[in-house]
Amino acid sequence: MKNLLFLIFFFISGNIFSQLGFCEGSKGVPIFHEDFSSGTLPAGTTTYIRVSGDPYDGFYTISSTIGQQIGGWHSYLPNTTLSNGNALIVNADDNNAGLFFQREISGLCEATTYEFSAFLINIFNASRSDCPNGEIPINVIFQILDQTGNTILAEGSTGDIYSSVNPVWSQKALTFRSQAGQNKVILKMFNNGVGGCGNDLAIDDIIFRSCGDLTKVSSPNLSETFLEVCEPDAPVTVELTATPDNTVYTSHAFQWQESVDDVNWQDIAGETGMNFSSSPISSTRFFRVKVAEDAVNLVTNLCSSVSESFAVFVVETPEAPVSLGDLDVCEGDPVPSLEVIVESDESVRWYDSATGGVEVATGNAFVPPAAGRYYAEAKKTGFDCNPGPRTPVELQIFSKPQVVDEERQLCPGQEIRLDAGVGNFTYQWNTGATTQNIVVTQSQGYSVIITNPSGCSSIKQFEVSVVDVAEIGKITSEGTSVIIEPANVGEFQYSLDGNNFQGSNMFQNISGGVYTAYIRDLEGCNTVSEEFPHIVMPKFITPNNDGINDRFELKGIEYFSSSEIRVFNRYGKILASGKGEGFSWDGTFSGKDLPSEDYWFHLSIEGFEPVKGHFTLKR
């Protein structure tokens, strides 16, 4: 790519070559910071020619992008410098190696130690094979001269910085001391690489700032550089001592400073000693000390160094959390969160009572396990100070209207009234009606949303169908029971007197006689009836003369005008016969006792179907 000439320096004064290194003490505010954000260089800074895009031999550019035309370079600059923007991109001249950057730095304080620093990067991509014989690393010499340019105050070499697969910035620094009577220096940068392929570099964030002793601020009986005070314990005072490490300064002048935000600082009038005693502190304050070798250099931050700050945190008692409102919810619905707002540096705890009580949750939002009033308090995060007052937040759970779905039957060609139920409710039917009840004529599904004064709703469903046809299929009279069986499948009501209807088709403990069976649909559209005889006949007889079930007799037959009964054995032989009224059989035939077994009867009643059955004789 190019050959770089080895640079020979001629030292005008007898200075010793210095090692690079950072200021190990306290640093002041930068008096010079070149981040190349303006995109230009002052005249005389370099003899190289500026171009757009990637520069070739003997050219430079100021840009935040690289590797657009030169494929052997990295394609980007990593964001690990201070400014993360433009950088100075230099492609050294094969025929004019050596000095490539020179800049006068003004505004320095006399007889003050300074730190110079800059970021460098080898922009050659180590993963490429553009240098068959191996790349040449970058190697830069920094030189700080007095304002005459005749005296070298400090110089140092970066050493070889080889390329890498991924681009990496490296910050280098050099310390020096300004001379008495002079407030300017000259910065020079030399390319110390040898000729060959490689040796391409970028530079960013050139900074000059004062370097002083590392000064520590401490307070008796405190191991930390801060003091925490809860608001009820304020105001407080602190005693502070500044202790320089004497690595830079041979003498010390002090100026104590105060800040409310650890950013903007004000001098404290009259506080220029090593020790400092504060006035009563009622709110958070930060203290630090500005240090210089001479009191005249304390006038500006550019000529002095500062210690780390000592903080006095006055922890304010939090205000009561701000509630986002009480909440109402209907039973069965998801329970929402109770929420409060506090300051960003505060945490929230929830309790079950206004004072004391049990902690039930933490955090700004809380899903309560049940209805009730809960209390939120705020506490400053990270401090062991008392919380502020509690804020009540309430969750109410309201009941919904109780509903039971209904199945109704509609008489053909008629109408039916559907009633949603009485209450202090509002109604919304799927038909559009808003009344408690509606009249319908169609068989289909109907629904109504019932809402109570709390705003909770339930849905009641009505299924309306055409009535089941009521028709008597069979009447069974057995013992003291009567069973009315419908001819069709459906839901019906049954009665033996035409007035009292029931859902069961079985009637128990019915005395013998002439009865009328009734069956009707649930809506009473149609009622059918049928008269039938109910004769109470014994299921068995025990002719042992104990007075209980000794004879086969017919109870209730006296209600019929004419009847006749016959008793058979299993072979069909008639064993006894006669009129039903007054009939009695003792289980004998021709004066002899018949054996224990089943026997049959046939009862004829005028005007009714014959009644047949059987009973058991037990001895």
Side-chain angles (χ1 to χ4, degrees):
M1 182 182 296
K2 55 188 174 287
N3 293 316
L4 299 179
L5 300 177
F6 180 76
L7 177 66
I8 301 175
F9 293 98
F10 295 94
F11 302 109
I12 299 175
S13 61
N15 286 279
I16 300 175
F17 194 77
S18 305
Q19 293 294 325
L20 294 181
F22 290 90
C23 170
E24 296 183 357
S26 299
K27 302 176 185 181
V29 176
I31 65 170
F32 176 84
H33 183 183
E34 176 59 85
D35 60 5
F36 303 102
S37 59
S38 67
T40 60
L41 290 177
T45 301
T46 182
T47 59
Y48 284 37
I49 301 172
R50 180 172 179 174
V51 295
S52 298
D54 294 336
Y56 287 89
D57 297 352
F59 293 87
Y60 81 95
T61 190
I62 296 177
S63 177
S64 60
T65 59
I66 60 173
Q68 306 303 303
Q69 290 82 36
I70 300 178
W73 288 1
H74 290 295
S75 60
Y76 68 97
L77 294 173
N79 291 330
T80 55
T81 61
L82 299 179
S83 56
N84 293 324
N86 286 342
L88 174 64
I89 316 298
V90 177
N91 195 328
D93 187 347
D94 290 343
N95 300 315
N96 191 23
L99 179 66
F100 68 88
F101 186 94
Q102 178 173 315
R103 187 80 171 266
E104 182 180 82
I105 311 300
S106 60
L108 276 70
C109 302
E110 300 177 25
T112 302
T113 301
Y114 285 92
E115 176 194 83
F116 152 77
S117 66
F119 284 87
L120 292 89
I121 188 172
N122 187 329
I123 59 178
F124 192 79
N125 190 338
S127 65
R128 298 293 297 258
S129 58
D130 294 53
C131 296
N133 299 321
E135 68 157 302
I136 303 301
I138 66 172
N139 188 315
V140 176
I141 290 179
F142 301 118
Q143 194 177 82
I144 309 294
L145 299 94
D146 70 352
Q147 64 187 35
T148 68
N150 296 322
T151 302
I152 299 175
L153 304 179
E155 62 182 357
S157 170
T158 64
D160 290 342
I161 301 177
Y162 286 88
S163 66
S164 57
V165 174
N166 297 307
V168 178
W169 284 105
S170 176
Q171 188 180 28
K172 304 295 183 180
L174 182 67
T175 59
F176 67 94
R177 185 175 177 81
S178 62
Q179 293 185 332
Q182 295 187 340
N183 62 359
K184 297 179 182 179
V185 294
I186 298 172
L187 167 65
K188 291 184 178 182
M189 297 185 194
F190 298 88
N191 188 333
N192 196 31
V194 298
C197 182
N199 198 10
D200 303 319
L201 60 92
I203 299 176
D204 198 6
D205 290 318
I206 300 172
I207 296 175
F208 283 79
R209 55 185 168 184
S210 62
C211 173
D213 287 351
L214 179 62
T215 303
K216 294 184 178 180
V217 173
S218 60
S219 181
N221 304 320
L222 288 177
S223 59
E224 305 289 345
T225 57
F226 62 87
L227 173 64
E228 296 176 359
V229 180
C230 298
E231 186 177 32
D233 299 328
V236 296
T237 59
V238 292
E239 302 289 334
L240 301 177
T241 298
T243 306
D245 66 357
N246 300 306
T247 57
V248 178
Y249 297 154
T250 58
S251 62
H252 300 86
F254 301 96
Q255 174 61 62
W256 289 90
Q257 294 183 312
E258 182 180 25
S259 173
V260 296
D261 56 8
D262 204 20
V263 176
N264 300 294
W265 294 88
Q266 299 292 330
D267 290 346
I268 304 175
E271 297 295 343
T272 58
M274 179 179 293
N275 298 311
F276 165 69
S277 180
S278 73
S279 57
I281 302 170
S282 298
S283 59
T284 296
R285 289 291 186 274
F286 300 88
F287 300 95
R288 73 179 186 182
V289 64
K290 187 162 53 172
V291 186
E293 281 191 292
D294 191 291
V296 70
N297 287 336
L298 292 173
V299 177
T300 171
N301 291 337
L302 303 179
C303 303
S304 60
S305 61
V306 292
S307 68
E308 295 294 324
S309 62
F310 184 96
V312 179
F313 296 107
V314 178
V315 184
E316 297 179 352
T317 301
E319 300 289 336
V322 177
S323 171
L324 293 185
D326 297 335
L327 297 178
D328 299 335
V329 65
C330 299
E331 62 180 348
D333 291 346
V335 177
S337 297
L338 301 179
E339 295 187 50
V340 294
I341 298 176
V342 296
E343 297 295 330
S344 59
D345 61 345
E346 297 173 353
S347 58
V348 178
R349 296 177 181 176
W350 294 84
Y351 292 85
D352 60 0
S353 63
T355 58
V358 177
E359 182 181 329
V360 295
T362 59
N364 292 43
F366 159 54
V367 178
R373 180 169 291 180
Y374 299 87
Y375 300 84
E377 68 178 24
K379 185 176 182 180
K380 289 295 182 182
T381 304
F383 298 99
D384 189 20
C385 295
N386 291 332
R390 294 180 181 178
T391 297
V393 190
E394 186 172 4
L395 171 70
Q396 295 188 79
I397 300 179
F398 294 104
S399 61
K400 294 181 179 181
Q402 301 299 310
V403 298
V404 177
D405 295 341
E406 295 184 27
E407 293 184 0
R408 300 289 302 276
Q409 293 185 328
L410 181 66
C411 301
Q414 299 185 28
E415 61 185 26
I416 188 174
R417 183 177 297 274
L418 306 180
D419 194 333
V422 179
N424 187 19
F425 305 134
T426 59
Y427 307 92
Q428 183 62 58
W429 293 83
N430 62 341
T431 62
T434 57
T435 54
Q436 175 185 325
N437 49 62
I438 61 173
V439 175
V440 300
T441 59
Q442 299 293 324
S443 60
Q444 64 182 59
Y446 296 88
S447 64
V448 56
I449 301 174
I450 306 172
T451 305
N452 60 24
S454 300
C456 296
S457 301
S458 297
I459 300 177
K460 182 178 177 69
Q461 303 283 355
F462 292 86
E463 187 61 38
V464 178
S465 59
V466 177
V467 297
D468 298 319
V469 177
E471 184 177 342
I472 297 176
K474 179 182 179 182
I475 302 172
T476 302
S477 173
E478 187 172 331
T480 60
S481 300
V482 173
I483 300 174
I484 306 174
E485 299 182 26
N488 305 313
V489 176
E491 293 188 59
F492 304 102
Q493 293 178 328
Y494 306 87
S495 175
L496 291 180
D497 60 8
N499 294 316
N500 300 299
F501 283 83
Q502 65 183 43
S504 173
N505 66 338
M506 177 177 287
F507 297 85
Q508 304 281 2
N509 301 317
I510 304 301
S511 301
V514 178
Y515 290 89
T516 301
Y518 298 88
I519 182 171
R520 70 181 183 186
D521 57 76
L522 297 184
E523 296 298 328
C525 301
N526 181 42
T527 302
V528 295
S529 62
E530 181 179 330
E531 191 178 50
F532 69 96
H534 176 55
I535 308 299
V536 179
M537 301 178 187
K539 289 291 184 181
F540 60 90
I541 61 173
T542 57
N544 55 9
N545 296 317
D546 62 356
I548 301 174
N549 295 325
D550 285 332
R551 295 176 176 275
F552 180 80
E553 298 175 331
L554 306 179
K555 296 180 180 181
I557 195 68
E558 64 271 16
Y559 293 102
F560 301 94
S561 58
S562 176
S563 62
E564 182 178 348
I565 187 170
R566 289 176 291 174
V567 178
F568 304 86
N569 65 9
R570 58 181 173 175
Y571 303 109
K573 182 178 180 179
I574 297 177
L575 302 177
S577 63
K579 292 186 177 298
E581 186 174 359
F583 180 80
S584 178
W585 182 60
D586 62 1
T588 63
F589 182 73
S590 299
K592 295 181 180 180
D593 293 336
L594 295 177
S596 296
E597 60 182 9
D598 287 345
Y599 294 86
W600 280 257
F601 65 87
H602 186 287
L603 174 62
S604 298
I605 301 175
E606 185 178 356
F608 296 97
E609 292 292 327
V611 179
K612 301 176 183 180
H614 65 90
F615 62 95
T616 301
L617 187 154
K618 297 181 180 180
R619 293 194 179 274

